Amino acid sequence: MRVLVVEDEPLLADAIAEWLRDEAHAVDLAHDGASALERAGVNDYDVVVLDRDLPVVHGDDVCRELVTAGAAARVLMLTAAAEITDRVAGLGLGADDYLTKPFAFAELAARVLALGRRSRPAAPPTLRRAGITLDPARREVFRDGRYVPLARKEFAVLAELLRADGAVVSAEQLLEKVWDEHADPFTGAVRLTVLKLRRKLAEPPVIETVKGAGYRIP
């Protein structure tokens, strides 16, 4: 999934981003509300992890703007305020979930995954197609009962192809969902990752290249 983490404490922001990247998500960072709105206006995020107390533009205003603009991203609001009234106020702004600081990174990752499922058309938690089984929660992949160890990007690319349910996914779409905003659109990263993925999934070939369009698992 593509996730935007908005947190003005750089060390915490980096820690959240690293944890989510370990879960095979593509993560962008913003350290103030204005930067968050700018990125959200350019990129299609599945989830926004939003600190409430932000400089430049307050987190409440960021959340309100995302909702008003009709953004598809689900919002997980972070705050040090643990009172019930604070949580109710945050949810009232349009946030989809609310997590108080300090928090466990594992819980944050689980909530992000759950919200990401809600930002897309309904899909089973475990993805299956062409003899492949992918469990996003456990980060496990099997083909015809054989465990397939995958690197983070390989896992994320496979998940996007499986979610497409047989439709073609372009290299641009994979860059958008699996890599972050620093990815070079002219890079061969997608092609190389698909090549490695094919090798690990072994014979018979399951990922089809559609010339001039992208990739699919028919």
Side-chain angles (χ1 to χ4, degrees), residues 131 133 141-149 199-203:
T133 301
V141 173
F142 294 85
R143 182 174 187 189
D144 298 327
R146 176 182 64 88
Y147 176 68
V148 182
R199 289 173 180 168
K200 290 185 178 182
L201 291 172
E203 299 292 333

Side-chain angles (χ1 to χ4, degrees), residues 157-203:
V157 166
L158 181 59
E160 291 301 323
L161 292 174
L162 290 172
R163 287 190 182 104
D165 198 25
V168 175
V169 182
S170 70
E172 291 77 14
Q173 288 173 307
L174 289 173
L175 273 175
E176 172 72 22
K177 289 296 184 183
V178 178
W179 280 262
D180 59 26
E181 63 185 349
H182 301 295
D184 182 352
F186 301 104
T187 184
V190 172
R191 182 183 60 81
L192 183 59
T193 300
V194 170
L195 178 62
K196 292 179 179 178
L197 189 53
R198 281 177 172 143
R199 289 173 180 168
K200 290 185 178 182
L201 291 172
E203 299 292 333

Side-chain angles (χ1 to χ4, degrees), residues 54-69:
L54 290 171
V56 187
V57 178
H58 195 273
D60 287 359
D61 296 320
V62 173
C63 185
R64 190 180 292 111
E65 180 63 28
L66 290 174
V67 172
T68 301

Side-chain angles (χ1 to χ4, degrees), residues 3 26-27 49 62 84 90 98 117 147 152 160 164 168 181-182 188:
V3 181
V27 182
V49 179
V62 173
I84 294 294
Y98 199 94
R117 292 195 188 110
Y147 176 68
R152 289 185 300 180
E160 291 301 323
V168 175
E181 63 185 349
H182 301 295

Side-chain angles (χ1 to χ4, degrees), residues 124-136 142 159 161-163 165-166 217-218:
T126 299
L127 303 172
R128 293 183 175 89
R129 191 175 187 84
I132 298 171
T133 301
L134 182 148
D135 187 333
F142 294 85
L161 292 174
L162 290 172
R163 287 190 182 104
D165 198 25
I217 297 178

Side-chain angles (χ1 to χ4, degrees), residues 78-90:
L78 303 178
T79 181
E83 296 296 327
I84 294 294
T85 52
D86 293 304
R87 282 183 251 175
V88 170

